[in-house]
Amino acid sequence: AQTVTQSQPEMSVQEAETVTLSCTYDTSESDYYLFWYKQPPSRQMILVIRQEAYKQQNATENRFSVNFQKAAKSFSLKISDSQLGDAAMYFCAYRLRSGSRLTFGEGTQLTVNP
Amino acid sequence: DAGVTQSPTHLIKTRGQQVTLRCSPKSGHDTVSWYQQALGQGPQFIFQYYEEEERQRGNFPDRFSGHQFPNYSSELNVNALLLGDSALYLCASSLSYQRGGPGETQYFGPGTRLLVL
């Protein structure tokens, strides 16, 4: 069974600074997707970024980028120029290409200090 | 472009009762997945519906059942409610590969918060 681990229950960052959230996963498969979702206090789960495992290039979406290390089964999220609106719970998730379910980590609560 | 909608937003039930939660997928999407998110945890996959059939199921008892309608909307039914069923129930939709979509990317609704007393 696939598992996703987020070892940082809480992180904090100063506004305008950079922060990196960690995620590791365990799978014996080679073809899968990885995601970062953001869940603000409103509880709506919002897609931040996705990465296809067969792509070597790390995904980037504006201030958000990932460091995907397939051999190490590591998938970290870097948030640059942090903004107050980035404060939320961040979840790392895995999905097998041929599967249906998303498997989520336990989440990292990010606080952005003004 | 309408996103994923869920109803009701909040619900209070007592143990042993039955509940039905509803989800309308994002416009153009044909696949609906349901997740349960207990307080302080990540979402857990319940099941996924495609073409009105349950395609995959997570580790949930038969008390949890679902349905998908021809317009792709979906219902989640939970029978014989237990205190442990109290959670946020999230619906997510996606466009299947069969219809040319990026089937792997799921978009979530705002959730239904269920409290069982």
Side-chain angles (χ1 to χ4, degrees):
Chain A
Q2 293 82 20
T3 58
V4 177
T5 302
Q6 295 178 248
S7 58
Q8 307 154 315
E10 298 177 350
M11 290 284 284
S12 64
V13 63
Q14 291 296 125
E15 198 174 2
E17 298 294 308
T18 296
V19 64
T20 299
L21 308 184
S22 300
C23 172
T24 59
Y25 57 95
D26 185 22
T27 183
S28 58
E29 305 290 339
S30 61
D31 198 4
Y32 51 86
Y33 296 92
L34 294 165
F35 304 84
W36 279 98
Y37 281 88
K38 165 186 176 181
Q39 189 176 42
S42 67
R43 305 291 282 175
Q44 175 113 33
M45 196 75 77
I46 300 165
L47 177 66
V48 174
I49 200 165
R50 64 188 278 272
Q51 174 79 42
E52 297 166 62
Y54 66 87
K55 287 189 176 178
Q56 299 277 13
Q57 187 173 4
N58 289 323
T60 300
E61 288 286 344
N62 300 315
R63 298 182 294 106
F64 299 88
S65 62
V66 299
N67 183 4
F68 173 48
Q69 302 289 327
K70 191 171 184 178
K73 297 180 183 176
S74 170
F75 183 61
S76 60
L77 174 70
K78 185 171 82 170
I79 306 173
S80 303
D81 186 26
S82 296
Q83 301 175 0
L84 295 178
D86 295 333
M89 182 72 85
Y90 285 80
F91 289 97
C92 177
Y94 164 101
R95 205 205 100 148
L96 196 60
R97 176 181 281 273
S98 60
S100 305
R101 72 178 70 194
L102 284 169
T103 299
F104 287 86
E106 307 90 343
T108 296
Q109 181 68 51
L110 177 66
T111 301
V112 181
N113 300 308
Chain B
D1 182 18
V4 180
T5 60
Q6 292 186 243
S7 63
T9 56
H10 295 83
L11 204 52
I12 300 175
K13 292 286 188 179
T14 56
R15 281 177 296 175
Q17 284 189 312
Q18 178 265 344
V19 67
T20 297
L21 310 181
R22 296 176 176 82
C23 172
S24 291
K26 183 178 169 65
S27 178
H29 284 186
D30 60 357
T31 303
V32 173
S33 304
W34 287 93
Y35 294 82
Q36 180 195 66
Q37 186 178 19
L39 195 62
Q41 297 182 19
Q44 299 291 317
F45 176 77
I46 303 175
F47 42 53
Q48 184 180 83
Y49 276 85
Y50 171 69
E51 292 191 335
E52 301 180 48
E53 291 191 357
E54 184 182 289
R55 182 153 72 175
Q56 190 175 11
R57 188 179 183 91
N59 188 25
F60 280 81
D62 292 344
R63 297 187 298 108
F64 289 76
S65 63
H67 188 76
Q68 186 179 34
F69 299 94
N71 67 353
Y72 307 120
S73 66
S74 177
E75 288 182 350
L76 164 65
N77 300 291
V78 186
N79 294 321
L81 284 167
L82 303 174
L83 296 179
D85 295 332
S86 296
L88 179 70
Y89 288 85
L90 295 166
C91 169
S93 74
S94 55
L95 178 60
S96 65
Y97 294 122
Q98 290 83 345
R99 287 182 169 79
E104 74 288 346
T105 301
Q106 298 182 11
Y107 296 88
F108 285 80
T112 294
R113 185 173 297 282
L114 172 65
L115 178 61
V116 182
L117 300 176

